[in-house]
């Protein structure tokens, strides 16, 4: 229903139509409210038009920062920087839930069993040398005035990784509020060796941001610095003061325990800043290790879920995983100028020496594959090659959150395209991986063989005399020890022959040939067969040599009769022994005991030379040739991969054996420093 004033206005319009100019005059006179409103809106429109005309028009364009277009010498971070993000198709249908929730006290099997598993069993990794995105080409397509440029770009390793991290930072800051979390591993190997390189490159990082981002975009970004080891330390609150951030990086101190609890660090960050109000979160982890607590599959899956819920992308400045290995050896020179005051005091007197220590460094798969232990030739964590892939737990988080795994240095020289297209490990939950290991006949058979093999290798160094505190002690059960090792060698030979036949049959089974990731598991199987062949040959050599050594000196392994053994070995092989030298100088038995404090004497089964030292029947040489030939086939079929590298090691350690006597004197070592 019209109001009175509206009705009056309408009547005025009617009169205007009837009486022309006179009607318009009357209309204006009778409708002052309507005319005033009209003039006000007209003035506002004219002002808006004037203001708009004075502002420069922003020429928006889509800039694709495609690292394929960069010169290949600019960045050398291979081979894992092309790993694609995990498929979002695996997300559960209920509102995009990832299904990674793990309740308190809940096992990873329970969590994975009730959730859609985000996985990338065969990630699309083509091995390009300069890509920086964990997603599709064009992920870094953004609207800016100009394309991003890197200040002083062209570095490799750490420098190249920091430069590409700058690109990621700029992209997110251009879109909205972004929290950048610098998470620093506090172990000695990082603080002393890698962190100084990162800090040195951060000037370039901040210069790149300053060159490319407007003041408003820079205000979108805030940084925090977090250190982790056994515990978690926050060195800053969120800040845009770049000098403050650099000072905080320099203030990160070592954690002497050597622990790397990355899972605790990430969850602590998310507890405090997961709902901070930012549009996105960019977490950069700098470490050369695995993350001690992330071997807990439940913690890993729960952390992934929380990262995704907080819109966080995980970036890693790290190293390659050790192939089929959990640990690796790291070394450090005791340089007083490099060490902290506390460490300088600890190592006083050992300056300049080089120390080694263990660190978590793998594997590349959810569980260690191949066999473990030291099987006579350095098949242990100290000697395994780099895998060419990232460390599983961090790799899984990176792929799950659309991040990037940057390499601090190039450690391997494989055919990356071949390796990543055919031999990629399963990047799935631990629960899903273990299900696959049990459900597929070849995998389950290999798993059992890998668990059994270390128990079959006999002891190649058997102590028979120890001198401690002025007295000698001989093994009261030395003969039982000898017999036990001989039985183990003979049983091992029978086991090896049986498993070689079984694995060969499984490898040719049609069901096996159709399994996922067949190339990787074929290589695993062939390498296992080659080691079983080597085991069969060398255990035969071992039994023959140990029997001969025992028969020659059966009654002389106690003090002081052991001097006869040393003299016999010296006459045959020209080996000098301290005990024999003291005896020849006329020292009494009591004097020899005092001067040999801490010495130990062993029966040692050593490597011989091909073909001079073959022992046993004619079949021994045939077994040797068979093992050598089979390893050669692996090298040809799986060239430029870790399997070819290990096949070469099998060949170089496929040797006949011979017996010896070993005298080991006590040694003084520098204090232990966890690296």
């Amino acid at each position: 229903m019209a109001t009175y004033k509206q009705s009056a206005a309408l009547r005025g319009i009617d009169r205007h139509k009837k009486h022309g100019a006179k009607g318009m005059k009357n209309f204006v006179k009778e409708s002052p409210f309507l005319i005033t409103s009209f003039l006000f809106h007209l003035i506002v429109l004219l002002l808006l038009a004037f203001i708009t005309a004075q502002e420069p028009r922003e020429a928006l364009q889509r800039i694709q920062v495609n690292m394929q277009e960069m010169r290949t010498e600019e960045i050398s971070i291979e081979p894992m920087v092309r790993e694609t993000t995990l498929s979002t198709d695996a997300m559960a249908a209920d509102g995009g839930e990832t299904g990674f929730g793990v309740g308190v006290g809940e096992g990873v099997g329970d969590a994975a069993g009730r959730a859609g598993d985000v996985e990338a069993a065969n990630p699309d990794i083509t091995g390009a040398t300069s890509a920086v995105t964990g997603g599709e080409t064009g992920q870094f397509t953004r609207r800016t005035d100009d394309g991003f440029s890197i200040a002083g770009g062209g570095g490799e390793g750490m420098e190249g990784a920091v430069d590409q991290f700058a690109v990621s930072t700029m992209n997110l800051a251009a879109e909205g509020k972004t929290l950048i979390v610098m998470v620093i591993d506090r172990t000695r190997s990082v603080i002393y060796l890698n962190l100084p390189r990162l800090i040195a490159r951060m000037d370039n990082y901040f210069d790149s941001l300053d060159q490319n981002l407007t003041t408003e975009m820079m205000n979108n970004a805030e940084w925090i610095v977090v250190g982790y080891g056994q515990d978690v330390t926050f060195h800053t609150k969120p800040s845009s003061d770049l000098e403050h951030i650099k000072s905080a990086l320099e203030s990160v101190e070592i954690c002497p325990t050597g622990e790397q609890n990355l899972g605790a660090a990430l969850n602590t960050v998310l507890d405090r800043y997961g709902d901070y109000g930012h549009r996105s979160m960019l977490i950069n982890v700098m470490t050369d290790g695995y993350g001690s607590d992330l071997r807990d599959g439940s913690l890993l899956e729960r952390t992934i879920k929380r990262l995704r819920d907080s819109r966080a992308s995980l970036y890693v400045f790290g190293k390659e995983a050790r192939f089929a290995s959990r640990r690796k050896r790291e070394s450090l020179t005791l340089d007083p100028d490099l060490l902290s005051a506390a460490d300088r005091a600890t190592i006083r007197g050992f300056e300049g020496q080089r120390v080694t220590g263990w660190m978590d460094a793998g594997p590349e798969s959810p569980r260690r594959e191949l066999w473990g232990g030291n099987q006579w030739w350095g098949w242990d964590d100290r000697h395994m090659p780099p895998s060419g892939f990232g460390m599983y737990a961090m790799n899984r988080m990176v792929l799950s959150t659309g991040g990037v795994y940057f390499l601090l240095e190039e450690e391997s020289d494989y055919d990356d395209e071949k390796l990543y297209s055919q031999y990629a490990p399963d990047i799935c939950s631990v629960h899903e991986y273990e299900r696959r290991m049990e459900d597929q006949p070849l995998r389950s058979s290999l798993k059992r063989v890998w668990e059994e093999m270390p128990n079959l290798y006999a002891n190649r160094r058997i102590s028979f005399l120890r001198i401690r505190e002025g007295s000698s002690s001989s093994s009261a059960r030395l003969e039982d020890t000898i017999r036990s090792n001989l039985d183990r060698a003979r049983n091992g030979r029978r086991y090896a022959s049986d498993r070689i036949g079984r694995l060969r049959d499984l490898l040719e089974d049609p069901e096996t040939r159709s399994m996922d990731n067949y190339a990787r598991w074929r290589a695993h199987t062939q390498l296992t067969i080659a080691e079983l062949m080597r085991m069969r040959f060398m255990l035969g050599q071992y039994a023959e040599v140990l029997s001969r050594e025992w028969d020659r000196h059966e009654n002389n392994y106690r003090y002081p009769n052991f001097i006869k053994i040393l003299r016999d070995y010296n006459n045959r092989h020209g080996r000098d022994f301290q005990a024999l030298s003291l005896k020849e100088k006329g020292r009494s038995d009591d004097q020899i005991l005092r001067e040999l404090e801490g010495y130990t004497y062993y029966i040692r089964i050593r490597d011989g030379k091909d073909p001079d030292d073959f022992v046993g029947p004619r079949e021994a040489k045939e077994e040797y040739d068979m093992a050598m030939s089979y390893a050669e086939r692996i090298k040809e079929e799986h060239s430029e991969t870790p399997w070819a590298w290990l096949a070469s090691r099998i060949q170089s350690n496929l040797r006949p054996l011979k017996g010896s006597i070993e005298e080991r004197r006590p040694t003084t070592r520098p204090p232990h420093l966890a690296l």
Side-chain angles (χ1 to χ4, degrees), residues 186-189 191-192 253-257 332-351 355 671-675:
R186 295 167 52 208
T187 53
R188 288 181 173 89
S189 56
I191 300 300
Y192 290 155
E253 298 181 348
I254 63 167
C255 174
T257 67
L332 176 70
T333 299
L334 300 179
D335 180 356
D337 294 333
L338 180 68
L339 305 182
S340 67
D343 281 347
R344 285 198 299 271
T346 301
I347 61 94
R348 187 168 291 117
F350 296 93
E351 291 85 349
V355 296
H672 173 70
L673 294 178
L675 301 181

Side-chain angles (χ1 to χ4, degrees), residues 371 377 379 383 385 414 526-527 530-531 534 624 627-655:
W371 57 98
W377 57 286
W379 184 284
H383 301 93
Y414 303 133
Q526 290 173 326
L527 197 68
E531 175 61 11
R534 192 188 76 92
Y624 172 90
M628 186 67 73
S629 175
Y630 195 85
E632 190 65 30
R633 288 171 51 192
I634 296 174
K635 290 165 57 178
E636 294 173 359
E637 181 175 342
H638 306 287
S639 60
E640 298 184 86
T641 71
W643 291 269
W645 192 94
L646 287 173
S648 293
R649 287 210 52 152
I650 285 177
Q651 288 181 317
S652 63
N653 289 277
L654 178 65
R655 300 170 182 166

Side-chain angles (χ1 to χ4, degrees), residues 375-388:
Q375 282 73 54
W376 294 359
W377 57 286
W379 184 284
D380 61 12
D381 292 341
R382 290 173 297 173
H383 301 93
M384 297 300 280
S387 67

Side-chain angles (χ1 to χ4, degrees), residues 329 334 346 350 353 355-356 664-672:
R329 282 284 209 183
L334 300 179
T346 301
F350 296 93
Q353 294 194 30
V355 296
T356 59
R664 176 168 291 190
R665 65 186 65 197
T667 57
T668 303
R669 300 178 181 274
H672 173 70

Side-chain angles (χ1 to χ4, degrees), residues 22-39:
K22 184 178 180 181
M24 175 59 70
K25 182 178 179 181
N26 292 333
F27 168 73
V28 172
K29 183 179 179 180
E30 296 176 10
S31 308
F33 175 81
L34 184 62
I35 295 303
T36 302
S37 176
F38 171 77
L39 291 174

Side-chain angles (χ1 to χ4, degrees), residues 280-297:
S280 54
M281 182 187 295
L282 193 61
I283 301 178
N284 170 238
V285 176
M286 180 174 174
T287 180
D288 56 5
Y290 186 93
S292 310
D293 56 351
L294 288 176
R295 298 198 185 282
D296 179 346

Side-chain angles (χ1 to χ4, degrees), residues 163-179:
D163 292 348
Q164 301 320 307
F165 183 65
V167 173
S168 301
T169 304
M170 288 185 284
N171 284 329
L172 292 176
E175 291 184 337
K177 292 291 185 182
T178 301
L179 182 65

Side-chain angles (χ1 to χ4, degrees), residues 120-364:
N122 294 286
D124 177 18
I125 307 164
T126 59
T129 60
S130 60
V132 297
T133 172
E136 299 298 327
T137 300
Q139 174 177 331
F140 291 116
T141 299
R142 296 292 183 266
R143 291 168 52 177
T144 64
D145 289 340
D146 295 293
F148 293 146
S149 61
I150 302 298
E156 297 183 354
M158 171 70 77
E159 291 74 19
V162 172
D163 292 348
Q164 301 320 307
F165 183 65
V167 173
S168 301
T169 304
M170 288 185 284
N171 284 329
L172 292 176
E175 291 184 337
K177 292 291 185 182
T178 301
L179 182 65
I180 300 99
V181 186
M182 310 292 290
V183 182
I184 308 300
D185 176 353
R186 295 167 52 208
T187 53
R188 288 181 173 89
S189 56
V190 171
I191 300 300
Y192 290 155
L193 303 178
N194 292 312
L195 184 58
R197 296 168 55 202
L198 173 66
I199 294 172
R201 195 62 177 181
M202 289 306 290
D203 285 335
N204 198 68
Y205 169 84
F206 292 125
D207 287 345
S208 298
L209 301 185
D210 187 57
Q211 289 179 9
N212 290 278
L213 299 183
T214 65
T215 301
E216 180 181 358
M217 291 177 180
M218 281 293 290
N219 290 336
N220 283 338
E222 290 184 303
W223 286 260
I224 59 174
V225 176
V226 180
Y228 75 96
Q230 187 177 40
D231 52 14
V232 182
T233 304
F234 285 81
H235 293 265
T236 64
K237 294 180 179 180
S239 172
S240 296
D241 185 342
L242 303 185
E243 290 300 323
H244 178 54
I245 297 301
K246 284 191 286 185
S247 296
L249 287 171
E250 294 172 348
S251 71
V252 178
E253 298 181 348
I254 63 167
C255 174
T257 67
E259 292 188 42
Q260 299 167 308
N261 290 325
L262 177 57
L266 294 176
N267 279 280
T268 304
V269 169
L270 295 172
D271 288 342
R272 189 172 297 189
Y273 296 108
D275 55 357
Y276 183 64
H278 48 269
R279 183 184 184 277
S280 54
M281 182 187 295
L282 193 61
I283 301 178
N284 170 238
V285 176
M286 180 174 174
T287 180
D288 56 5
Y290 186 93
S292 310
D293 56 351
L294 288 176
R295 298 198 185 282
D296 179 346
S298 295
L299 176 62
L300 174 60
E301 299 305 313
R302 184 167 62 250
T303 303
I304 291 173
K305 169 66 165 57
R306 296 193 66 195
L307 288 168
R308 293 171 67 101
D309 287 347
S310 298
R311 303 170 304 283
S313 296
L314 186 73
Y315 286 62
V316 172
F317 289 4
K319 294 190 176 182
E320 294 180 39
R322 255 355 194 211
F323 182 64
S325 177
R326 291 179 53 144
R327 304 183 302 165
K328 74 172 182 179
R329 282 284 209 183
E330 189 68 75
S331 60
L332 176 70
T333 299
L334 300 179
D335 180 356
D337 294 333
L338 180 68
L339 305 182
S340 67
D343 281 347
R344 285 198 299 271
T346 301
I347 61 94
R348 187 168 291 117
F350 296 93
E351 291 85 349
Q353 294 194 30
R354 196 164 185 82
V355 296
T356 59
W358 289 106
M359 62 187 305
D360 286 341
E364 76 281 9

